[in-house]
Amino acid sequence: MKKILFAILLFMVSAITFAQETTSEIQGIITDEDNSPLSGATIMAIHIPTGTKYSTTSRKEGRYNLPNLKVGGPYTIIVTYVGYKPETQDNVTLLLGQVFNANVTMIAESKQLQQVVVTSRLDRVFNNNRTGSQEVVSRTQLERLPTLNRSFQDFTRLTPSANGQSTVSSSPSQSLGGRNGLYNNITVDGANFNNVFGLAGSLGGQTNSQPISLDAIEQIQVSISPYDVKQGGFSGAGVNSVTRSGTNQFKGSIYTYLRNPDLQGYHINTKTIPKPSFKYNQRGATIGGPIIKDKVFFFLSGEQERISQPATTLTAIKPGQTAVPGVTSQAVADTLDAI
């Protein structure tokens, strides 16, 4: 019985150790005009799109923490304390797995000042919760930056240590930090999206499909060397993402993306690549909104891909013809005709 309990405990510790971050945090120090810490101040962060409220109070040294916040924003931070004027900071945006520092100086109610300055900063490189290199792709970047395949790999290339594609069994996977792409750990809302069979870097890789629609993703986090016991299960990079949620406003989208042989080139210097025959059509729709305002929301995303293409674009080499990598195969046309 003791062995069984120990095994269960060990499994729970391992699961916690390799959990990926899906939230953000706000922290700071509340002080008065003399830079003395204020204990018991009330700090509230309001997620404007959904009306969700997170609150806490400052501790003895004036410090406070608001963990497990929904990523994105904008947020409004409101600080109140008896005998002091309320302080407000608007348009705060939170990034996945990072801490937003908001230090607030409270002004006594009896004093009248023309301007109150609330200082805050977002530490993109180091903070007390994380060390190591990291890249965060926000929803704004996902909407504005160009993408050829509408894949999250088009955006993880923004990481400085992304060095192209590694090929395993003819299925490409992205290499990050100099490691084979199969050593990456891909998660969506904390759930693994790896291709455990080992033929591709992510789910759907063998069919040239994406594991999740870009229109359903809120942010993407790429961690190369997070010296944090909460993250693990990879020796390349941890590609962590969180999905979107509904807001107090009904929003939706309908989209389609087409690709065919007439939309790409075939001449490279003096070489001419044969024109393939293929069709690609990706279409989808999203819709989100409130079920109960400020309390319960929904978000739906549906996507369909239709791909029609030959198994290979290589052509058999003919007698006297010079082999061209990526164009001709090792098979001889006469031999194939005889077969």
Side-chain angles (χ1 to χ4, degrees), residues 125-146:
V125 182
F126 295 105
N127 58 55
N128 60 353
N129 287 340
R130 173 188 58 80
T131 57
S133 58
Q134 177 178 270
E135 186 72 30
V136 177
V137 183
S138 65
R139 183 64 209 167
T140 301
Q141 291 174 293
L142 292 174
E143 292 175 346
R144 297 182 179 181
L145 294 179

Side-chain angles (χ1 to χ4, degrees), residues 258-266 274-281 306-310 313:
L258 304 174
R259 201 160 66 236
N260 59 54
D262 296 327
L263 298 177
Q264 61 186 40
Y266 302 95
K275 189 175 182 178
S277 175
F278 70 92
K279 293 181 181 179
Y280 176 86
N281 184 8
R306 286 292 180 261
I307 305 174
S308 175
Q309 62 184 19
T313 58

